[in-house]
């Protein structure tokens, strides 16, 4: 037996010889049939010049299950930042596929040449490696590692596999990697998407979690959907003290993740183990740390937070014009009108149908809506029609931009018929795509692009050729494969030894997509890069749009991966017009906030089939508070624009009326997301991490840290039972209505058909404006500030902020002369009230002429008599002042808030305070 110490100075050939001598046998003899082999042993370890650790691992027992083991592994550990630890495990002798470093920029581990075959200069004997927040420890034989929180010693990740554990030690084969961690029973896990989770936002033991980008409808539960996000957040509560951390496994290959409640096992069909641990300890800290690695969410233009209307089946321009006109007639706000593929000629990308969408008439229509402040977005699918008279295809062939199979562009079928797929990993493809966007924008000045079908979706499977005769035939659904195709199973890439639970049915991984033995630029296999397609297309599309007139891009992508939020928004795909799908939409939206894609929403009222009138009422009352708010429907569904039913139009006016008043708040959240990753829509536990009652809550959500939406999600209900975490909450529908509790409380709220309950938490300052029919108009109306104190508190403070900028500029930041940031503060102390602002870069707001017309302060103790009202030291009450002061008593909607103390709201109107300058207002309560 070779001592671990002697391995420190062994040459590569000696290592290989020793490895052969040490290997125990060729087959597994584990007591537990589900276990594979006996893992690896650590044979050397040393410090690296950059302060990390490098070790060599040797397989203990060869097994044939899922292919031969990789005999030697290299592991690399580094505390990359105070709050981030990386553990990277790969083949010690051969480069393996990883998410490309130019696609997702990050630190690179040392080259393999540095880790094997050289003498060891810095061998170490300790089994712990300490950083600021994490403690990494390992066991040598069999090799396992653990990650602990340094502050309290809590184990966050532990790959030890004991005899009684149902999972294997580390397994690493070319096409099968397995690793597990133990978990405490009371840990609450979130993430691992994209999927539709019927049990709500919390991961549910024994539900399958498969990650592999797939075009199957979002109505499929617990199946791999359009995006792949191999990250989870773990929230724990020990004796009332909460802490959160996250674990990212940066790997783009297909994988199954098995969560039992006490363990989590990854089974992956390729790539490497590249773990990142984020220490938190708050959920907001976690998302901040995560997006600092993967990329901060993209800044969105202001109009993107308006309401969007789309439909597959707007057959001609006059239908689109009617839709815009009918929204105006119904007095329902609308910012963006969309086209699915109806505007295209023969469903070909970057084209315009000369009959149904004649360019002169379309340009005239766009001039009209642009002048009004509205925007126009169209769809682009990745499949480029194989058509020698089609310029986009001609230029693609000339530039050799397509994914290949057997030396030829891989042939597939999507809406236009036979297509080839651009290879966005190829720099030449990116340049070609940018140029096609430029050409199309010269044809039609669109305001954003919608990239769909980019999982990639293919109506056929296998190796195909174009048949004789017409394909597609032009009759029946367009998604029936009409190419002449043969299944491809000849390679191990098409038929890997381990079958992930693809599509929820263990479908072949090349089913209805690109064959996994097809290849990209530099020979990269589709097998490895499959789940990166939508991400790489988002990057290329962003580059194309950013080059147009220097404007801020807006991209909506169906397929996403780790880092997609830096470039694109997301909608949750093809949902159904059912009450269940309405409920599911909340969990998916909240998950994408954790994934670093905060601009997210579902098709309001459902993509298909037609919703009931009651459901569409309730759906707009939820959808008006999605970060991305869009009504979209299927070609085969009846029309479901919000004005189609009078009752839905009323609910839309109410709910979107609130949204358009909240636009400055939503836009400020967009800025916070861009600078810190903070989700726009959040689970309640983000603001109340110690309150375990809300850990699994999936029927209510927060916008920002303090605005709570409690919608009706069930048929026939006119009340909703809502959870109110401890503290004071004030109804946005009537600011005098308050709910206060010491320990949290469920309250049954009235919710007639046209009403959605929204509440603001204590200690907040909410900026609002007056609303309007389009965001451009709403944006220039006076501001109102709503200040909330704990009900009846003799002392309290509140905070909020406002960010405004020129939203057409590509970058969203301070210091460019085209933005203003305002910190808002308020205090109450023994009846003395003060509200003030601290302005950074005030010139932009001053130039725009924004003013604060009114301020309402809620939860004040006393009778409501206001005296000594001053602004910037000048008295405001008395002769010549236009300021109107009213006081209203609060009504406590739950018994716990009632008592001897009387509380009031003080509203001051006619203030005319300039947003772009510091102000301070004070008064005393009688």
């Amino acid at each position: 037996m070779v001592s671990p110490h002697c391995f420190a100075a062994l040459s590569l050939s000696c290592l290989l010889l020793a490895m052969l001598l040490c290997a125990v046998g060729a087959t597994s003899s584990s007591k537990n049939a589900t276990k594979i082999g006996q893992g690896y042993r650590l044979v050397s370890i040393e410090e690296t010049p950059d302060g990390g650790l490098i070790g060599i691992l040797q397989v203990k027992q060869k097994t044939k299950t899922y292919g031969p083991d990789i005999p030697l592994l290299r592991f690399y550990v580094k505390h990359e930042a105070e709050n981030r630890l990386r553990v990277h495990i790969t083949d010690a002798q051969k480069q393996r596929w990883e998410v490309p470093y130019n696609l997702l920029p990050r630190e690179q581990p040392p080259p393999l040449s540095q880790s094997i075959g050289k003498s060891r200069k810095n061998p170490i004997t300790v089994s712990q490696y300490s950083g600021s927040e994490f403690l990494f420890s390992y066991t040598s034989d069999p090799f396992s590692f653990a990650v602990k929180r340094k502050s309290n010693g809590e184990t966050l990740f532990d790959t030890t596999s004991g005899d009684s554990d149902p999972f294997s030690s580390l397994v690493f084969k070319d096409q099968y990697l397995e690793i597990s961690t133990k978990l405490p029973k009371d840990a609450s896990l979130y993430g691992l998407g994209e999927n539709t989770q019927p049990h709500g936002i919390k991961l549910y033991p024994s539900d399958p979690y498969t990650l592999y980008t797939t075009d199957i409808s979002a109505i499929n539960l617990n199946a791999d959907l359009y995006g792949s996000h191999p990250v989870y957040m773990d929230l724990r509560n020990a004796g009332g003290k909460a802490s959160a951390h996250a674990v990212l496994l940066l790997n783009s290959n297909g994988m199954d993740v098995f969560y039992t409640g006490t363990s989590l096992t990854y089974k992956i069909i390729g790539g490497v183990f590249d773990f990142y641990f984020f220490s938190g300890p708050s959920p907001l800290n976690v998302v901040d740390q995560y997006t600092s690695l993967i990329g901060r969410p993209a800044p969105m233009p202001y109009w993107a937070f308006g309401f969007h209307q789309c439909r597959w089946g707007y057959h001609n321009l006059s239908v689109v014009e009617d839709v815009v006109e009918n929204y105006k007639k119904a007095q329902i706000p609308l910012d963006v009108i969309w086209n699915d593929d109806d505007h295209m000629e023969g469903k070909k990308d970057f084209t315009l149908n000369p009959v149904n969408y004649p360019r002169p008439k379309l340009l005239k229509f766009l001039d009209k809506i642009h002048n009004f402040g509205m925007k126009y977005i169209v769809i682009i699918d990745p499949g480029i029609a194989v058509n020698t008279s089609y310029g986009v295809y001609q230029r693609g062939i000339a530039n050799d931009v397509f994914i290949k199979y057997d030396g030829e562009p891989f042939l597939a079928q999507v809406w236009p018929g036979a297509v080839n797929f651009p290879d966005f990993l190829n720099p030449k493809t990116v340049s070609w795509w940018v140029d096609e966007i430029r050409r199309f924008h010269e044809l039609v000045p669109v305001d954003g692009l919608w990239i769909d079908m980019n999982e990639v979706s293919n109506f056929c499977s296998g190796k195909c050729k174009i048949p004789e005769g017409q394909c597609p035939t032009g009759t029946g659904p367009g998604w029936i494969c009409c190419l002449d195709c043969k299944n491809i199973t000849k390679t191990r890439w098409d038929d890997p030894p381990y079958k992930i639970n693809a599509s929820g049915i263990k479908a072949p991984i090349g089913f209805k997509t690109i064959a996994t033995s097809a290849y990209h630029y530099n020979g990269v296999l589709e097998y490895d890069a499959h789940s990166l397609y939508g991400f790489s297309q988002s990057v290329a599309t962003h580059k194309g749009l950013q080059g147009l007139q220097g404007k801020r891009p807006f991209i909506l992508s169906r397929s996403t991966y780790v880092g997609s939020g830096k470039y694109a928004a997301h909608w949750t795909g093809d949902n159904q017009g059912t009450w269940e799908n309405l409920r599911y939409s909340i969990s998916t939206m909240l998950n994408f906030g954790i994934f670093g894609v905060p601009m997210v929403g579902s098709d309001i009222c459902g993509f298909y089939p037609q919703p009931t009138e009651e459901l569409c009422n309730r759906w707009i009352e939820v959808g008006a508070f999605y970060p991305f708010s869009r009504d979209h429907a299927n070609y085969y569904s009846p029309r479901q624009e919000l004005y189609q039913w009078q009752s839905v139009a009323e609910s839309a006016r109410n709910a979107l009326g609130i949204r358009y008043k909240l636009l400055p708040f939503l836009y400020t959240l967009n800025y916070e997301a861009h600078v810190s990753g903070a989700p726009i829509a959040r689970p309640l536990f983000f603001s109340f991490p110690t309150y375990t009652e809300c850990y699994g809550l999936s029927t209510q959500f927060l916008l920002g840290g303090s605005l709570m939406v409690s919608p009706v999600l069930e048929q026939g209900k006119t009340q909703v039972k809502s959870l109110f975490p401890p503290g004071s909450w004030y109804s946005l529908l009537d600011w005098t209505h308050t709910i206060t509790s010491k320990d949290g409380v469920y309250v049954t709220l009235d919710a007639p058909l046209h009403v959605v309950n929204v509440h603001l938490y204590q200690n907040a300052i909410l900026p609002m404006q007056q609303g309007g029919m389009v965001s451009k108009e709403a944006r220039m109306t006076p501001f109102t500030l709503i200040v909330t104190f704990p009900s009846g508190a003799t002392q309290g403070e509140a905070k909020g902020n406002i960010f405004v900028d020129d939203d057409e500029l590509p970058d969203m930041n301070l210091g460019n002369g085209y933005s203003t940031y305002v910190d808002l503060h308020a205090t109450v102390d023994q009846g003395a009230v003060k509200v003030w602002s601290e302005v950074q870069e005030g010139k932009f707001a001053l130039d725009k002429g924004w003013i604060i017309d009114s301020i309402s302060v809620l939860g004040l103790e006393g009778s409501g008599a206001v005296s000594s009202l001053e602004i910037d030291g000048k008295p405001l009450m008395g002769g010549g002042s236009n300021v109107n002061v009213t006081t209203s008593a609060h009504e406590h909607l739950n018994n716990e808030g009632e008592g001897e103390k009387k509380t009031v709201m003080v509203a001051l109107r006619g203030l005319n305070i300039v947003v772009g300058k510091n102000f301070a207002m004070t008064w005393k309560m009688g």
Side-chain angles (χ1 to χ4, degrees), residues 770 782-784 851-855 908-913:
Q770 308 301 309
F783 278 83
T784 294
I851 62 158
I852 299 166
D853 174 72
S854 63
I855 296 176
L908 304 100
R909 296 179 183 86
L911 294 170
N912 210 35
I913 296 169

Side-chain angles (χ1 to χ4, degrees), residues 73-101:
L73 303 178
R74 195 279 299 273
F75 89 86
Y76 169 68
V77 188
K78 188 183 176 189
H79 295 281
E80 288 191 340
E82 280 190 6
N83 45 42
R84 184 172 81 231
L85 171 71
R86 184 181 190 183
V87 179
H88 182 278
I89 304 176
T90 187
D91 188 331
Q93 298 167 276
K94 198 167 79 174
Q95 196 76 37
R96 287 182 62 80
W97 165 256
E98 296 184 45
V99 175
Y101 284 82

Side-chain angles (χ1 to χ4, degrees), residues 284 323 326 445 460:
L284 269 180
V323 170
N326 283 326
C460 303

Side-chain angles (χ1 to χ4, degrees), residues 484-719:
D484 182 5
C485 304
K486 291 179 182 173
N487 282 339
I488 305 173
T489 55
K490 63 185 179 186
T491 77
R492 61 195 182 103
W493 312 116
D494 301 297
D495 187 24
Y498 176 76
K499 309 292 186 268
I500 61 169
N501 193 31
S503 302
I505 55 171
K506 293 197 173 180
I509 55 173
F511 180 67
K512 295 289 181 81
T513 188
I514 299 169
T516 40
S517 53
Y519 54 91
H520 296 248
Y521 179 66
N522 276 348
V524 167
L525 282 166
E526 168 68 10
Y527 179 88
D528 293 316
H530 171 86
S531 290
L532 298 176
Y533 194 91
F535 177 37
S536 61
Q537 187 192 15
S538 295
V539 175
T541 306
H542 189 273
K543 188 173 182 184
L545 285 179
Q546 205 163 35
L548 300 175
Q549 304 167 351
K551 289 191 175 182
R552 187 174 299 174
F554 178 85
I555 300 161
L556 184 73
S557 179
R558 190 168 73 177
S559 186
T560 58
Y561 184 72
V562 174
S564 283
K566 184 178 178 182
Y567 305 95
H570 173 64
W571 94 107
T572 64
D574 298 348
N575 59 356
Q576 257 183 329
T578 66
W579 291 93
E580 291 80 11
N581 277 252
L582 170 58
R583 286 195 291 277
Y584 302 153
S585 74
I586 294 176
S587 294
T588 308
M589 168 184 72
L590 297 178
N591 263 329
F592 269 87
I594 293 171
F595 296 152
V597 190
M599 191 62 166
V600 58
S602 295
D603 287 344
I604 292 169
C605 298
F607 183 62
Y608 68 96
Q610 185 185 28
T612 64
E613 184 175 346
E614 182 192 0
L615 175 61
C616 205
N617 270 277
R618 293 307 192 188
W619 209 317
I620 186 56
E621 290 170 359
V622 179
F625 300 96
Y626 293 154
F628 172 65
S629 183
R630 184 184 73 156
D631 180 319
H632 179 43
N634 189 320
Y635 185 96
Y636 297 97
S637 296
R639 296 281 289 270
Q640 65 181 46
E641 292 84 4
L642 300 178
Y643 54 76
Q644 297 287 352
W645 302 270
Q646 283 190 0
S647 71
V648 176
E650 185 177 342
S651 292
R653 283 189 290 270
N654 291 343
L656 289 173
I658 295 171
R659 182 186 183 90
Y660 273 63
K661 289 175 182 174
L662 290 171
L663 285 176
F665 174 63
L666 291 170
Y667 194 69
T668 300
L669 292 176
N670 172 37
Y671 174 70
E672 288 180 7
H674 179 57
V675 297
S676 73
I680 296 170
R682 306 173 192 174
L684 267 66
F685 70 75
F686 264 66
S687 290
F688 304 96
T690 61
Y691 187 52
T692 55
E693 189 72 22
C694 69
Y695 282 13
L697 187 65
S698 308
T699 53
Q700 297 166 249
F701 58 93
L702 293 171
L703 292 175
S706 56
L707 197 68
M708 181 170 73
V709 183
S710 305
V712 172
L713 303 171
E714 294 178 75
Q715 187 175 356
K717 301 284 184 174
T718 55
Q719 292 184 316

Side-chain angles (χ1 to χ4, degrees), residues 97 100 102-103 395-404 409 421-435 519-526 529 532-533 535-541 543:
W97 165 256
N102 60 345
L103 191 64
R395 290 185 290 273
I397 288 293
N399 284 285
D400 193 22
V401 303
F402 297 115
I403 290 170
K404 299 283 186 32
F421 291 119
D423 171 16
F424 292 105
L425 298 183
N426 184 344
K428 278 173 69 178
T429 307
V430 174
S431 299
W432 162 81
W433 188 253
V434 166
D435 185 57
Y519 54 91
H520 296 248
Y521 179 66
N522 276 348
V524 167
L525 282 166
E526 168 68 10
L532 298 176
Y533 194 91
F535 177 37
S536 61
Q537 187 192 15
S538 295
V539 175
T541 306
K543 188 173 182 184

Side-chain angles (χ1 to χ4, degrees), residues 188-383:
S188 297
L189 268 59
Y190 309 89
L192 296 178
E194 177 179 9
N195 57 19
T196 300
Q197 297 177 194
H199 295 108
I201 187 173
K202 252 173 85 166
L203 297 192
Y204 193 78
S206 301
D207 274 0
Y209 296 94
T210 299
L211 280 67
Y212 188 72
T213 60
T214 307
D215 174 16
I216 57 171
S217 163
I219 67 174
N220 292 278
L221 306 181
N222 292 327
D224 45 314
L225 298 181
Y226 312 105
S228 175
H229 294 271
V231 61
Y232 70 85
M233 182 187 290
D234 180 337
L235 177 61
R236 303 181 188 180
N237 192 313
K241 189 169 168 53
S243 60
H245 67 275
V247 180
L248 165 67
L249 172 54
L250 190 60
N251 180 304
S252 62
N253 290 80
M255 68 178 81
D256 288 331
V257 187
F258 297 92
Y259 172 54
T260 67
T262 56
S263 67
L264 189 130
T265 297
Y266 299 90
K267 297 184 177 183
I268 317 158
I269 60 172
V272 301
F273 290 123
D274 195 2
F275 283 105
Y276 291 86
F277 299 89
F278 306 91
S279 66
S282 76
L284 269 180
N285 294 150
V286 166
V287 183
D288 184 2
Q289 294 152 13
Y290 181 56
T291 55
S292 75
L293 173 73
I294 67 165
R296 298 297 194 192
M300 296 290 155
Y302 200 88
W303 53 261
F305 289 92
F307 183 68
H308 303 245
Q309 177 61 52
C310 184
R311 176 180 169 81
W312 179 26
Y314 288 150
H315 298 295
N316 56 47
L317 179 58
S318 63
V319 178
V320 175
E321 290 174 317
D322 282 349
V323 170
V324 172
E325 194 56 37
N326 283 326
Y327 266 94
K328 203 176 287 186
K329 280 181 188 170
Q331 288 290 290
I332 300 170
L334 179 65
D335 257 80
V336 191
I337 187 74
W338 296 56
N339 265 128
D340 206 311
D341 62 12
D342 304 288
H343 67 286
M344 296 179 183
E345 184 179 19
K347 302 186 186 300
K348 299 193 297 289
D349 282 350
F350 303 118
T351 63
L352 200 58
N353 185 311
V355 176
N356 295 335
Y357 283 82
R359 183 168 181 258
K361 286 188 176 178
L362 179 59
L363 293 180
K364 189 177 175 185
F365 167 70
L366 293 184
D367 276 346
K368 179 183 170 185
I369 67 166
H370 283 154
N371 286 336
F372 183 59
M374 286 183 61
K375 304 295 179 180
Y376 177 60
I377 293 175
V378 299
I379 199 169
I380 299 286
D381 290 335

